[in-house]
Every structure is written in structure tokens, then in C-alpha cells.
Amino acid sequence: MKKYITAVLLCVLMLTAFVTGGCTDSPVQTQQWDVIATVFPAYDFARAVAGDLLQIKMLISPGSEVHGFSPTLDDLAAVQNCNLFIYSGGETDTWADEQFRSGNLDTEQFTALAMTSCVELKAIPAAIEEDMHDHEHDHAQTEDYDEHVWTSPENAVRILKAICDELCRLYPEHEETFRSNAENYANQITAQAQEIQKIVDNASNKMLVFEDRFPFVYFCEQFGLSHTSAFGGCAGNTEVSAATLNTLVKTVQNHNIPCVLYLEFSKMQTADSIVAATGCTKREMHSYHNVTQEDFDNGVTYVDLMKRNTETLKEALS
Ligand SMILES: [Zn+2]
């Protein structure tokens, strides 16, 4: 009996040590955020609606590659404690759906809003690399939906309004301000989209050529632009084969394309090769996934990036 009591006491002591040790070893940050957004567009739209009234956090670090992002324990604790979690709903944050499914993140405790749930989805478009390897594919890949819904200004307004609706439900005391902020921002987006439409309407060339990735299917469909790229969507591998480079060069030459486009954070290797082979120029077309630390510190907005893209399009469609 004595032995038994000793054993039980020992177990209790070990358990206590384990529990308290576990708590003190890994202090989990529980700062309260009103809104946590995984990627830049979601962060920007929430900020436009809420202004300074709410604490909003962008989960990815400025300047980092968003595809393949993996949350830390602190990130997960922050999401669990926020009120509204906004994510793309696609390949950049499949981790979120996995955390919901496994129950690691309890969605009873916060509202989760996927940007892909706010709009009509389109398939990832075929591109040169995929066309070349068509015989090896069963087309399953190209039938995946494209997650870059925010690249179309019309979709951006839809997502902005969905975010506004959720915030009004969660913070009814601020509804009037939120609705007026959202309307004002939607007007800015729409005005800039009209600028872009004018450029497209007056352009003789209506084809955009991208050096590797192509996350602009929603954008091109809204404005009636055609496109060529090495990869459809955001391929993990952006190494362009010699045959694909050759196809891109021929496309630029045959269609008299004045300017080849590359995405933010690109090393521009393929763009430089195309420029060297054809004498065209190269310019950045921002896809809004993430912004540089400098842009982030300066408070750059989706509309600011639209304006930069407008300048790029003036050259690319001339
Ligand atoms: Zn992407």
C-alpha cells in the first residue's frame, strides 16, 4: 500500500513538473489582434475599412516569399486569439485549412474569411511549360482554381465589401465609419481601374508577356487582355527551359511586344534574356502578394500598386 501511494505521489509530482515546465519553457505570445491577414491584399483591404480603429496584423513578413509560408506557434496563437482571420483560401495558405481540419485552430472562436470565397473562381491558365508537357499530364493540374482573385479590381472591391460586412458584424459600434471607408476605397479602386481600361481600349497591342509566373488571369479577363507566360499561376519552380525561352522570344518578336513583364521580387533572369534577344524593354507588374519592407514602412496601398501597374501597362501595351 505504501509503495502504491509513493508511486501515485511520484506520478503527480512528475505531472506537475511537466505541466509547469511546459508552460514556462515556451511562452506563447497572446497579443490580441482584431484582424490577422495572411497576405498583403487582405491586410490592405482590412486596413482601408478599419483605419486606426482596429489592430491589424499581416502574418507574412514584408519582403518575404509568401508561397510555402509556414506559421510559427506564436502565429497560430495569434490567429486563435484574433476576431477576424482573412486568408487567400488557395495554395499560399493551405496550412490554414489544415489547421482548421486538425482542430489545432478552433474556428468556433474566431471568424475565418477566405478571399476565394468572395468571388467567382477561374482555373489556372495553361502556359508554355504546361503546353509542352501536355502529353505527360492528365490535365488535373490545370483544372485547379487560381487563387490570385485579388488581381482583378472588380474582385478587389467584392473582397473589400465582404471584409467590411464581417467587420460591421463584429464591431457594430463602428459600422458607419467602416461602410464609409469601404465605399471611399472602392471608389479609388474603381477610378484607377477606369484609367487602366482607357489604356487597354486605346492600345494596339493587347497581349502581355510574362517572363515566368502568371498570377493575373483575373486581371486579364476583366480588361480583355491576352497573355503568354512560361508558367500558369505561381509555379514553385520558375526555371525557364531553353525551349520555353525560345517560344517567349518568338512571341515578343512576332507580336511586336514592346516590353516583357516580371513580378515583384523577381531575379529577372529570363526577362533579361528576352531583352537581350529582342531589344524590348522590361518592367515590373506587381501582383500584390507581398510588398518590400520599405513599401510596407511607407504604408503603400493596393491602389498605390495599381498606379504603378498602370504606368507599366502604358509601356507594355504601347
Ligand atoms: Zn501566387
Side-chain angles (χ1 to χ4, degrees):
M1 189 62 182
K2 221 178 191 177
K3 246 185 194 171
Y4 174 74
I5 293 170
T6 314
V8 168
L9 272 174
L10 204 66
C11 279
V12 170
L13 274 172
M14 279 166 72
L15 198 68
T16 314
F18 175 74
V19 168
T20 51
C23 287
T24 48
D25 279 356
S26 56
V28 173
Q29 211 183 57
T30 48
Q31 183 180 351
Q32 178 70 42
W33 296 94
D34 295 297
V35 181
I36 294 186
T38 57
V39 289
F40 178 74
Y43 169 78
D44 178 76
F45 300 153
R47 180 180 56 182
V49 173
D52 296 333
L53 291 170
L54 299 179
Q55 297 289 316
I56 303 167
K57 178 186 170 69
M58 182 167 83
L59 205 55
I60 52 166
S61 312
S64 70
E65 168 59 54
V66 305
H67 304 89
F69 169 86
S70 183
T72 63
L73 286 177
D74 282 356
D75 290 336
L76 293 176
V79 171
Q80 187 61 71
N81 285 298
C82 78
N83 286 329
L84 177 62
F85 173 62
I86 315 168
Y87 64 119
S88 82
E91 48 172 333
T92 56
D93 39 35
T94 44
W95 63 266
D97 282 321
E98 280 160 18
Q99 296 288 332
F100 299 159
R101 262 198 303 276
S102 69
N104 273 349
L105 284 177
D106 179 6
T107 46
E108 303 267 294
Q109 307 295 321
F110 61 91
T111 301
L113 176 66
M115 289 193 279
T116 48
S117 73
C118 305
V119 303
E120 198 181 306
L121 298 176
K122 296 184 192 303
I124 296 175
I128 298 168
E129 286 278 345
E130 285 86 0
D131 284 348
M132 277 182 177
H133 302 109
D134 239 4
H135 55 283
E136 296 162 15
H137 279 243
D138 56 5
H139 275 276
Q141 250 188 323
T142 50
E143 278 159 27
D144 282 346
Y145 68 80
D146 191 302
E147 69 168 333
H148 307 94
V149 289
W150 60 79
T151 57
S152 136
E154 280 175 358
N155 281 353
V157 168
R158 287 187 189 106
I159 298 164
L160 174 77
K161 288 187 171 161
I163 292 172
C164 179
D165 286 344
E166 289 299 342
L167 289 178
C168 289
R169 192 177 57 76
L170 292 164
Y171 303 90
E173 68 275 24
H174 297 310
E175 173 156 8
E176 208 178 314
T177 312
F178 288 172
R179 296 233 180 261
S180 139
N181 288 348
E183 198 187 330
N184 175 32
Y185 203 58
N187 289 342
Q188 289 181 46
I189 293 172
T190 305
Q192 198 57 37
Q194 283 163 353
E195 283 294 305
I196 294 173
Q197 191 66 64
K198 262 188 245 164
I199 293 164
V200 172
D201 290 347
N202 294 323
S204 48
N205 163 47
K206 295 196 201 280
M207 181 190 271
L208 299 180
V209 177
F210 286 81
E211 59 160 356
D212 48 42
R213 290 170 170 181
F214 177 71
F216 286 100
V217 63
Y218 296 90
F219 177 87
C220 284
E221 295 223 0
Q222 176 176 337
F223 292 102
L225 289 165
S226 61
H227 49 85
T228 303
S229 60
F231 304 98
C234 282
N237 166 29
T238 55
E239 211 151 297
V240 173
S241 67
T244 298
L245 176 61
N246 190 36
T247 306
L248 285 167
V249 165
K250 280 198 176 127
T251 306
V252 168
Q253 288 167 335
N254 293 344
H255 294 264
N256 257 325
I257 302 293
C259 176
V260 65
L261 303 174
Y262 57 88
L263 300 192
E264 68 279 7
F265 308 158
S266 165
K267 294 191 179 76
M268 298 181 276
Q269 279 163 325
T270 307
D272 284 337
S273 301
I274 298 169
V275 168
T278 66
C280 74
T281 58
K282 60 173 182 182
R283 276 196 84 138
E284 178 184 285
M285 182 81 172
H286 207 293
S287 65
Y288 314 93
H289 285 84
N290 195 3
V291 295
T292 62
Q293 185 70 54
E294 192 188 354
D295 274 343
F296 189 79
D297 293 342
N298 290 332
V300 78
T301 68
Y302 180 92
V303 173
D304 293 333
L305 298 176
M306 275 183 88
K307 287 178 182 165
R308 285 187 203 166
N309 283 348
T310 307
E311 292 309 305
T312 291
L313 289 165
K314 276 182 192 164
E315 188 169 328
L317 297 174
S318 63

